[in-house]
Amino acid sequence: MIDLRDDHTVHRFDREAMNTTFSVRIRHDDSGIAADAAHAGFLRLDELEDRLSRYRNGSDVDQINAMQTGQTLLITADTHGCLVAALRAGHDTGGLFDITLGVPIQHLKSGAGGPPAPPSGRLRIASDRPAVECLEAGRGIDLGGIGKGFAVGQMADVLRGWGVDSALIAGGASTLLAFGPDAWPVELRGASAGETLLLQNSTLSASGTAVQGGHVVHPDDPRRLTGLHRHVWVLGRDAASIDAFATACSLMDASQVRAFAASCAEVSGAWVEDDDGLVVGV
């Protein structure tokens, strides 16, 4: 989906996490410092996965999904920050990005027979403290559409803290974040042709059906996994928001992606793969 071209001055480090491969590319005079910084970034990634993954027993999200009516759960600041970012993205996309569809997502991805039950239950995210209230049991959280973006943003903060001035962080083929003076060539690949983008001090996130098939539940039709594009890419600054926006844009047609990109101040560019397999800026 996204092709990265390195040169011999780049120190590259990889880690398996969040069901994909995270890569960190660092330009630094000292390879030892680069390795230590990358290791610290990966420790932060592991910490976030332990808190945000619904598939980790005892994670914050696992505990939220097990809540009963009337319960309040104190969560980590990390999880609270990701949930708040997700709620903001939901508002910005008119509700198209929705992290509360975890129950139908799990039903559909498990291959269980029959349609999932209609979503039910209500959760409230406290605005003044890291806590979640269960107003009515039955609602499930899934951060798959924003978690990688949130993670690469946090990893970038760690690398900066180690004195890294230029780096590219990739959460699989989903989300890439570049910071510093260097522009990193990234190829947006369609089935017939591609386009090279120079990524600098920004985030690029991708979604679509080409790799995972239909894997996003539309909030208006939670009975099926869907997607309208083989590939859709969104460019902007905040990694968590851009990851969520790409997820939402996979459910929009090209004209809707164009309108959203034009109206959202956080988005600086968007592309889709058209029916001919060409990468088209919208």
Side-chain angles (χ1 to χ4, degrees), residues 133-238:
E133 302 170 53
C134 181
L135 304 180
E136 180 185 349
R139 185 65 63 166
I141 297 292
D142 188 308
L143 296 174
I146 193 172
K148 294 181 184 67
F150 186 80
V152 300
Q154 295 295 307
M155 292 172 69
D157 290 341
V158 171
L159 297 188
R160 292 187 188 98
W162 275 81
V164 172
D165 295 324
S166 179
L168 176 70
I169 306 170
S174 171
T175 300
L176 297 96
L177 181 154
F179 69 86
D182 294 303
W184 302 78
V186 176
E187 185 179 359
L188 313 185
R189 257 188 214 167
S192 300
E195 179 173 325
T196 298
L197 172 72
L198 293 179
L199 193 64
Q200 185 178 29
N201 289 316
S202 56
T203 296
L204 179 73
S205 192
S207 188
T209 63
V211 176
Q212 300 184 55
H215 64 285
V216 181
V217 168
H218 196 296
D220 294 336
D221 186 12
R223 297 169 298 175
R224 65 191 182 96
L225 296 167
T226 187
L228 298 181
H229 305 282
R230 276 180 46 82
H231 289 115
V232 57
W233 298 270
V234 180
L235 180 71
R237 292 299 296 268
D238 181 72

Side-chain angles (χ1 to χ4, degrees), residues 234-260:
V234 180
L235 180 71
R237 292 299 296 268
D238 181 72
S241 298
I242 296 304
D243 190 11
F245 292 161
T247 302
C249 284
S250 73
L251 301 174
M252 304 178 189
D253 63 31
S255 64
Q256 291 170 327
V257 174
R258 182 181 302 109
F260 172 72

Side-chain angles (χ1 to χ4, degrees), residues 2 22 36 66 71 84-85 97 157 168 194 201 222 227 238 245 254 260 262 280:
I2 298 174
F22 277 72
D36 288 343
Q71 289 184 328
V84 169
F97 182 75
D157 290 341
L168 176 70
N201 289 316
D238 181 72
F245 292 161
F260 172 72
V280 179

